[in-house]
Amino acid sequence: MMIENQKIEKKASRIQTLILILLTLGISCQKNDTSQKTISEKSQNLTGISIQDLALTIPVTREELKKWIPDQIGEFSIIKTVIGYKESVEMSAIKATYSHQLDTSKQVVLEILDGAGPVASVLLSGSIQKLNLDFQELKPDGYSRIHERNGHRVWEVENTKEEVAELEFIHAGRFLVTLKGHHLQNEELWSLLDSLDFKTLK
């Protein structure tokens, strides 16, 4: 009888342990689901379109991107265009280099990556996470920071020693736009950005 009681107690103890493990796993999974949902909601709030939807969207064609790239930005004229250099990884992108009409040492590189498609949407998701941070770093020869300007979260970098400036932001919740300036300051880049018409880039 005593042996039977011990067996029953052991069995009950095992059942209790199993229930505790299952409860712990259930709570852990629920927290993880909530965390994932929060990240997804943040991404959607920042971009206006969910990463899941972007992954299923067909990227724009080379021709569509090429039509958007202007021949001139302010006093800078286009000297080189590269399209299709990311197609091997199933991403649609274009890179255009502009040179100042009077001072050729001043150059601007405009790069646009379409965040549509399974690979590009993952890359865009990483950029969203980065741009959602509040960040600022001051250095003797420049700075880098993430802040909001003109309705966009922007990553802004300037190195006065190397005379390099860079802006990065997401347009229409889909296009990762990078503007790099050589022998330029960020305010000059902002002025060039203001002259670009992003309405047709959708």
Side-chain angles (χ1 to χ4, degrees), residues 54 58-61 65 68-69 82-96 109-128 167-179 198 201-202:
L54 271 178
I58 298 170
V60 295
T61 64
L65 277 177
W68 186 82
I69 291 290
V82 184
I83 314 171
Y85 59 99
K86 289 186 181 286
E87 284 180 358
S88 60
V89 285
E90 299 178 359
M91 292 193 289
S92 180
I94 188 167
K95 187 187 289 185
V109 178
L110 173 64
E111 185 171 9
I112 299 168
L113 169 73
D114 184 0
V119 180
S121 61
V122 173
L123 182 65
L124 190 72
S125 178
S127 295
I128 291 168
L167 303 174
E168 181 185 301
F169 63 94
I170 296 168
H171 169 69
R174 173 171 172 172
F175 298 94
L176 182 63
V177 180
T178 307
L179 196 65
F198 283 94
L201 186 63
K202 294 177 181 178

Side-chain angles (χ1 to χ4, degrees), residues 10-48:
K10 280 183 182 179
K11 195 172 182 181
S13 177
R14 284 176 187 168
I15 291 168
Q16 285 176 343
T17 305
L18 186 61
I19 289 168
L20 281 171
I21 290 168
L22 289 171
L23 280 171
T24 305
L25 285 171
I27 291 166
S28 175
C29 287
Q30 191 176 8
K31 281 182 179 176
N32 192 39
D33 288 345
T34 305
S35 174
Q36 291 297 326
K37 190 179 176 185
T38 304
I39 290 168
S40 178
E41 283 172 357
K42 275 186 180 177
S43 298
Q44 192 165 359
N45 288 339
L46 183 63
T47 63

